[in-house]
């Protein structure tokens, strides 16, 4: 089990702004649950179904004399649906886990400007409250969803990294800033 590190940075105490800081890593099951709650896999299934249907329709030809079916395009539709519905979600979770492991040991700050990840005193990523659109809560984690430009992203914040009062504080901050998804 990892040590949980929650403290208030010195500069935040000077300004009087409440800051929540925690350190830890997200597990694969938590990433999967967070992406599922955020709707990533649901959109992927719709894309798989629509693409497979389009490919299958290309393989069907109906005319006055009857119809014909191109078995090659139907098989391609099945492969397309299988890849997008079964393989792609696993690849997304694996890719997200690798990206998270690259920044192992980063501190996460929640303050008045947004959420920031800091590694060795250098800010890796800061997401402002205006970039966040909604959040989802499960019994074990918070998932914050937002947009930066044309990209949609999800940030998974496990409750196991927080003490009970700090998890409630994080929920209250998210509830006051974002809409529940």
């Amino acid at each position: 089990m990892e040590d949980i590190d929650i403290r208030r940075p010195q500069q935040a105490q000077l300004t009087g702004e409440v800051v929540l800081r925690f350190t830890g890593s997200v597990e694969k099951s938590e990433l999967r649950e967070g992406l599922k709650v955020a709707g990533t896999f649901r959109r992927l299934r719709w894309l798989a179904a629509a693409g497979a249907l389009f490919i299958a329709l290309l393989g069907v030809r109906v005319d006055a004399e009857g119809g014909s079916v191109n078995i090659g395009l139907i098989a391609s539709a099945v492969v397309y649906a299988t890849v997008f519905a079964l393989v792609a979600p696993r690849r997304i979770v694996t890719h997200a886990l690798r990206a998270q492991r690259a920044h192992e040991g980063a501190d996460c700050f929640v303050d008045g400007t947004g959420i920031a990840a800091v590694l060795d005193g250098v800010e890796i990523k800061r997401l402002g409250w205006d970039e966040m659109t909604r959040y989802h809560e499960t019994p074990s984690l918070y998932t914050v969803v937002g947009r930066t430009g044309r990209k949609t992203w999800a940030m998974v914040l496990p409750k196991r990294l927080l003490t009970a009062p700090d998890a409630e504080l994080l929920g209250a901050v998210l509830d006051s800033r974002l809409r529940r998804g």
Side-chain angles (χ1 to χ4, degrees), residues 19-176:
V19 175
L20 181 64
R21 175 183 177 179
F22 56 97
T23 302
S25 62
V26 180
E27 295 175 357
K28 190 172 187 175
S29 62
E30 292 169 336
L31 272 172
R32 187 177 299 116
E33 180 183 357
L35 291 172
K36 182 179 177 183
V37 167
T40 303
F41 300 145
R42 182 175 45 248
R43 285 189 298 275
L44 197 58
R45 284 191 298 269
W46 276 105
L47 179 65
L53 180 63
F54 178 73
I55 293 170
L57 287 176
L58 289 175
V60 175
R61 196 176 94 206
V62 178
D63 54 15
E65 299 164 0
S68 65
V69 176
N70 184 337
I71 299 299
L73 284 175
I74 300 299
S76 296
V78 170
V79 169
Y80 181 87
T82 302
V83 166
F84 270 94
L86 298 177
V87 177
R90 289 187 176 108
R91 295 283 299 157
I92 290 170
V93 171
T94 302
H95 179 71
L97 191 63
R98 264 192 228 128
Q100 187 266 334
R101 295 255 165 90
H103 301 295
E104 194 79 35
D107 294 328
C108 184
F109 292 93
V110 179
D111 59 19
T113 59
I115 299 175
V118 177
L119 182 63
D120 297 329
V122 178
E123 194 169 277
I124 301 169
K125 182 75 175 171
R126 174 168 287 281
L127 301 166
W129 292 113
D130 57 336
E131 295 173 313
M132 300 177 210
T133 56
R134 67 186 188 280
Y135 80 99
H136 303 274
E137 181 180 5
T138 69
S140 62
L141 56 87
Y142 292 104
T143 302
V144 179
V145 181
R147 276 187 95 73
T148 305
R150 298 184 72 181
K151 294 182 179 181
T152 300
W153 50 264
M155 180 185 296
V156 178
L157 305 169
K159 291 181 181 178
R160 68 177 169 76
L161 298 177
L162 301 165
T163 60
D166 288 330
E168 291 175 15
L169 175 64
L170 179 58
V173 168
L174 292 175
D175 209 26
S176 69

Side-chain angles (χ1 to χ4, degrees), residues 6-21:
I6 300 171
R7 15 171 210 231
R8 297 181 189 276
Q10 200 64 14
Q11 56 180 261
Q13 291 176 353
L14 295 175
T15 61
E17 186 176 352
V18 176
V19 175
L20 181 64
R21 175 183 177 179

